[in-house]
Each structure stands twice: as structure tokens, then as C-alpha cells.
């Protein structure tokens, strides 16, 4: 618990100065890798920038993307015109605990970078999912990699984990959900390169293509009612999840949650797969 350093993730930590310095340094690195060492093109960048900068006050933003390398974040935000140096606008991101929070130094580094530790395989009700939910409650921006792992093969989008869907449902204000698909990072930081391992530094002279979709709209009241109705015939084993929601007719038991999270995840996955196909077409132009 101690190594997670929640205090370092707060904006009030040392008046926000370490976080601002971190965003300046990491932003410079991302800009260099994305624009000077490599070539990055972004389709529909204005939609992303508009929702980061100008969405209505109090409305959270969740961006979701595929995960092709350990450099996807932050380098995917390094394209020209994106406000990557602004620590206040910067995203929070769910980060693997076993990689980013191995020791005190890494924990402090990633906490300053607005990373939230997530234990892979620990389910959607683990402690730090509540921290992510708190940031959504405050109207902030959260990025997730809902596939839950790095996939460098050019294959269809994997079945998504339910963590992102659960955050969408449990957020007091329904977030704007913006899908993003990219390709090219697997060439900048391949998992197996030098002696079968990742290269010590990012490779260069590669092309990165980022496709930003349009916001995915969720009619959650109607979807919750459908989930309550459809889950009455749920026959799969249950794990004892706590019920969510308030009020008669909107409270979701575990079966209803499972149906709803699966439905939302499938909808997001379908949109991301369409963007992946579009990215293939863009490469041919």
C-alpha cells in the first residue's frame, strides 16, 4: 500500500510544481519521439482536442484505445497541436501495478504523471478503481486500455475487460467516451528486438497513424432497464459483487451489472474495430 503514494498524485503536492515539471519533461520526450524521430499523423484530431479543452464543466471524459507498446502513453499525446504540457488538462491513466509501481522511485514518477495503479486480474471492484471513479466524479479525463494487455500483432480488437464499462456506469455524470485506435508504436518499441527484448531507446524513422473516432453515446437509463430485465434469466456463476445504483428500478444486482458491462464493452469494441479497419485504409492512401 505504501508504495502507491496517493499523496504524490494530488495536485496540492508541493503546490503542483513537481507535477508541472514532470509534464514538461515527459511532454518534451513525447513530442520528440512523435514528431522529430518519427512521423505521426492524426485523423480527426480536432475532436480529441475539443473534448480535452472545451467539454462542459463537470462532464468527465474517458478515452479508450488499443495498446501496442509500452510507449503508447505518453507518446500518443505528443502529436502537433495537442496540449501535452498542461498538467491540469492532462489525462489520468490506469497503469499496471506490476510494471509502473515496482518500487518507490517508479511509484513517485508515475504518480506525478497522473497514473492510477491497477492490479491486473483483481477485478473491477479493486481499491484503486474507486480512485479512478473519484476523478470522473470531478469531471476529469481518464484514459484506459480496455484490452488489458499489449498486443503487437495486427489482429482484431480483443474482447474488452469490464473495468472501463463499470466506470462509465458508476460515474455520477455519464462520461463522454471517445475511442482511439493507433498503429506504428509496435515498430517504435517492439517487444522483441535486441536479443529478443525491447530496445533500450525508442526506434526512429517509423510512421504512426492515430485514428480518433466520434464520441460513443450511451443511453444509460434505458440500458439499465434492459439489463435488469434481461439478467433475470442469467445462469452463469456469480462472485458476490455489491449492488450498485440507488432507487427502485435502477439498482443493479450482480447479474444485471454483468449483462450491462458486457453490452457496453461489446459496443465499444465494435467501434474500435471499425476504427482499426479505417486505419488500415488510411495506410493505403
Amino acid at each position: 500500500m505504501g508504495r502507491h503514494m496517493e499523496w504524490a498524485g494530488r495536485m496540492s503536492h508541493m503546490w503542483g510544481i513537481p507535477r508541472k515539471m514532470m509534464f514538461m519533461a515527459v511532454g518534451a520526450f513525447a513530442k520528440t519521439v512523435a514528431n522529430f524521430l518519427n512521423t505521426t499523423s492524426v485523423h480527426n484530431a480536432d475532436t480529441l482536442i475539443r473534448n480535452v479543452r472545451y467539454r462542459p464543466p463537470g462532464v468527465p471524459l474517458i478515452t479508450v484505445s488499443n495498446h501496442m507498446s509500452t510507449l503508447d502513453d505518453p507518446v500518443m499525446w505528443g502529436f502537433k497541436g495537442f496540449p501535452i504540457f498542461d498538467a491540469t488538462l492532462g489525462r489520468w491513466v490506469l497503469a499496471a501495478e506490476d510494471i509502473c509501481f515496482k518500487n518507490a522511485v517508479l511509484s513517485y514518477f508515475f504518480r506525478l504523471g497522473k497514473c492510477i495503479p491497477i492490479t491486473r486480474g483483481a477485478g473491477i471492484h479493486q481499491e484503486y478503481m474507486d480512485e479512478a471513479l473519484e476523478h470522473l466524479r470531478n469531471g476529469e479525463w481518464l484514459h484506459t486500455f480496455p484490452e488489458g494487455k499489449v498486443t503487437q500483432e495486427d489482429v482484431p480488437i480483443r474482447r474488452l475487460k469490464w473495468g472501463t464499462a463499470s466506470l462509465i456506469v458508476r460515474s455520477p455524470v455519464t462520461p463522454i467516451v471517445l475511442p482511439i485506435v493507433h498503429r506504428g508504436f509496435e515498430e517504435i518499441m517492439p517487444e522483441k528486438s535486441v536479443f529478443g527484448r525491447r530496445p533500450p531507446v525508442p526506434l526512429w524513422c517509423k510512421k504512426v497513424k492515430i485514428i480518433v473516432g466520434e464520441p460513443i453515446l450511451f443511453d444509460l437509463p434505458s440500458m439499465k432497464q434492459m439489463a435488469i430485465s434481461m439478467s433475470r434469466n442469467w445462469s452463469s456463476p456469480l462472485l458476490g459483487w455489491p449492488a450498485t445504483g440507488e432507487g427502485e428500478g435502477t439498482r443493479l444486482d450482480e447479474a444485471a451489472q454483468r449483462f450491462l458491462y458486457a453490452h457496453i464493452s461489446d459496443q465499444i469494441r465494435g467501434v474500435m474495430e471499425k476504427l482499426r479497419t479505417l486505419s488500415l485504409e488510411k495506410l493505403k492512401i
Side-chain angles (χ1 to χ4, degrees):
M1 292 297 296
R3 74 177 189 273
H4 291 155
M5 297 185 180
E6 296 93 330
W7 49 269
R10 299 179 187 133
M11 192 62 186
S12 59
H13 170 56
M14 295 183 67
W15 306 281
I17 294 173
R19 176 179 290 176
K20 290 177 182 178
M21 293 176 63
M22 177 66 71
F23 268 75
M24 290 295 290
V26 174
F29 168 79
K31 291 283 187 183
T32 299
V33 174
N35 302 306
F36 295 102
L37 298 180
N38 299 282
T39 302
T40 300
S41 60
V42 186
H43 172 77
N44 202 25
D46 288 347
T47 295
L48 173 61
I49 295 173
R50 183 175 65 251
N51 280 284
V52 168
R53 282 190 176 276
Y54 305 118
R55 66 185 182 279
V59 176
L61 170 66
I62 294 180
T63 50
V64 295
S65 76
N66 58 325
H67 202 4
M68 299 204 77
S69 81
T70 55
L71 282 184
D72 294 356
D73 184 287
V75 177
M76 66 186 294
W77 316 119
F79 64 86
K80 295 177 182 177
F82 190 82
I84 194 172
F85 299 111
D86 192 325
T88 303
L89 288 178
R91 89 290 170 268
W92 289 89
V93 62
L94 302 184
E97 179 188 42
D98 59 322
I99 296 175
C100 300
F101 293 82
K102 289 181 178 179
N103 54 53
V105 173
L106 285 176
S107 294
Y108 187 66
F109 176 88
F110 284 105
R111 273 300 191 178
L112 290 181
K114 300 176 75 169
C115 297
I116 301 170
I118 292 295
T119 303
R120 289 183 285 192
I124 64 173
H125 291 288
Q126 57 183 285
E127 177 183 1
Y128 287 98
M129 288 293 281
D130 290 335
E131 181 182 332
L133 189 61
E134 183 64 24
H135 292 303
L136 295 177
R137 187 175 291 113
N138 293 334
E140 298 180 79
W141 169 26
L142 175 72
H143 183 72
T144 74
F145 297 100
E147 291 177 290
K149 63 181 296 185
V150 170
T151 303
Q152 297 205 321
E153 295 80 12
D154 189 8
V155 295
I157 300 296
R158 290 173 174 267
R159 176 183 176 274
L160 305 186
K161 305 294 185 181
W162 289 354
T164 301
S166 75
L167 291 172
I168 294 170
V169 172
R170 292 192 289 159
S171 176
V173 177
T174 302
I176 297 169
V177 180
L178 194 64
I180 302 171
V181 167
H182 52 74
R183 57 175 64 244
F185 288 114
E186 75 282 6
E187 296 183 7
I188 294 176
M189 185 57 71
E191 290 289 291
K192 296 181 180 180
S193 178
V194 182
F195 301 112
R197 306 182 66 179
R198 296 186 192 118
V201 296
L203 304 183
W204 52 90
C205 297
K206 310 296 183 183
K207 292 184 178 180
V208 174
K209 175 72 66 175
I210 300 173
I211 308 291
V212 179
E214 295 297 328
I216 305 173
L217 302 179
F218 295 102
D219 183 358
L220 287 183
S222 297
M223 296 175 76
K224 288 178 180 179
Q225 291 298 323
M226 180 182 67
I228 292 170
S229 175
M230 298 296 292
S231 65
R232 290 169 184 160
N233 298 321
W234 189 274
S235 59
S236 300
L238 300 177
L239 300 177
W241 292 356
T244 65
E246 299 178 358
E248 190 67 27
T250 61
R251 194 162 178 79
L252 304 176
D253 60 15
E254 181 178 342
Q257 290 177 60
R258 286 176 169 270
F259 181 91
L260 183 57
Y261 298 160
H263 183 65
I264 290 174
S265 296
D266 287 345
Q267 188 171 340
I268 295 173
R269 179 184 175 278
V271 174
M272 291 177 67
E273 179 58 24
K274 288 180 180 178
L275 294 181
R276 191 186 75 88
T277 303
L278 179 60
S279 71
L280 287 171
E281 295 174 355
K282 292 289 182 181
L283 285 178
K284 299 175 183 178
I285 297 177

